[in-house]
Amino acid sequence: GAVVSQHPSRVICKSGTSVKIECRSLDFQATTMFWYRQFPKKSLMLMATSNEGSKATYEQGVEKDKFLINHASLTLSTLTVTSAHPEDSSFYICSARDLAGVTGELFFGEGSRLTVL
Amino acid sequence: AQSVSQHNHHVILSEAASLELGCNYSYGGTVNLFWYVQYPGQHLQLLLKYFSGDPLVKGIKGFEAEFIKSKFSFNLRKPSVQWSDTAEYFCAVNGARAAGNKLTFGGGTRVLVKP
């Protein structure tokens, strides 16, 4: 199947700093990518929908100024956690839909674990 | 708005036992339904999906799921589990006409298969 890669897989940062996480579709193009957050022992919560060439669409309760999303090309979306705080520590997962694939089928990245000290 | 409910949070069973995980969804229109699996330390993988047609869907690794429209359910089954089936399983739904085809996930079920 199609491959989605995230980088970095793990990152530790100090409180107040910003962290950027990249999501790449390696062998397909994706106009839309999705960013999820997975809390310990809980399910995935959709944070935002990243649209190539336009602004991201954020879910209710997600601060768009804190979680900056950029989708500059058909194969890359980035999530920047600005002024990170310990409560932002979490597992962030991106997914992308293959333009040429079956409608609704998503491919997931391996996730990025953020720890804010 | 769409929502997904998985009834069991944790399931423990022995090898060769049969497995059934419940999933109910709430959505008024046509839906696409999915089961994903997350093995320890690995990323989410698609087990199977239902878009239309035969409501009994067969996926990878011997898993199957049955879509029962009248019950808004999409339960996952495997007749005989193996130790390697230890993982977390997520049911997901997206409304076929939902904006952006966003997936909504259930809370997940952790399955532990004892050897």
Side-chain angles (χ1 to χ4, degrees):
Chain A
V3 177
V4 175
S5 177
Q6 281 183 243
H7 177 80
S9 57
R10 294 178 183 270
V11 57
I12 300 173
C13 69
K14 292 182 179 180
S15 186
T17 61
S18 295
V19 174
K20 179 185 285 187
I21 301 170
E22 294 185 344
C23 176
R24 293 181 185 273
S25 57
L26 296 186
D27 51 2
F28 67 99
Q29 294 182 325
T31 55
T32 305
M33 292 184 175
F34 303 89
W35 285 96
Y36 290 85
R37 184 172 176 177
Q38 187 175 26
F39 294 94
K41 299 183 180 181
K42 291 190 177 181
S43 186
L44 288 79
M45 289 176 47
L46 180 64
M47 298 174 63
T49 303
S50 172
N51 303 299
E52 187 267 336
S54 64
K55 292 183 179 180
T57 304
Y58 290 82
E59 295 301 301
Q60 192 172 12
V62 178
E63 299 177 60
K64 58 184 178 183
D65 293 331
K66 180 164 189 62
F67 298 100
L68 300 179
I69 291 173
N70 182 275
H71 194 152
S73 77
L74 286 173
T75 59
L76 173 64
S77 175
T78 61
L79 168 68
T80 301
V81 183
T82 63
S83 186
H85 291 283
E87 57 264 30
D88 298 326
S89 297
S90 192
F91 196 55
Y92 294 87
I93 302 174
C94 74
S95 66
R97 183 160 50 92
D98 186 350
L99 278 178
V102 181
T103 300
E105 182 169 3
L106 294 177
F107 299 95
F108 287 82
E110 58 268 60
S112 300
R113 185 167 299 284
L114 170 63
T115 302
V116 184
L117 302 176
Chain B
Q2 53 198 29
S3 66
V4 182
S5 175
Q6 290 181 241
H7 315 300
N8 311 98
H9 297 295
H10 291 90
V11 172
I12 301 174
L13 60 168
S14 300
E15 277 194 310
S18 63
L19 173 71
E20 180 161 359
L21 303 181
C23 172
N24 285 90
Y25 68 92
S26 172
Y27 184 73
T30 304
V31 292
N32 299 321
L33 297 156
F34 307 81
W35 274 98
Y36 285 88
V37 61
Q38 189 172 29
Y39 297 103
Q42 297 187 28
H43 58 95
L44 279 168
Q45 301 174 41
L46 181 67
L47 263 183
L48 48 79
K49 60 184 183 288
Y50 171 81
F51 287 164
S52 63
D54 189 344
L56 184 61
V57 180
K58 295 193 183 297
I60 61 172
K61 305 186 180 186
F63 285 91
E64 64 178 30
E66 185 175 11
F67 170 50
I68 303 180
K69 189 175 181 180
S70 61
K71 295 185 178 180
F72 297 89
S73 70
F74 190 55
N75 293 354
L76 180 71
R77 298 192 292 253
K78 184 169 183 177
S80 177
V81 296
Q82 300 172 312
W83 174 79
S84 57
D85 293 322
T86 293
E88 188 158 17
Y89 294 80
F90 293 95
C91 181
V93 62
N94 85 312
R97 295 181 180 179
N101 282 325
K102 299 182 296 187
L103 274 183
T104 299
F105 284 85
T109 300
R110 286 183 180 270
V111 174
L112 173 62
V113 180
K114 296 190 292 185

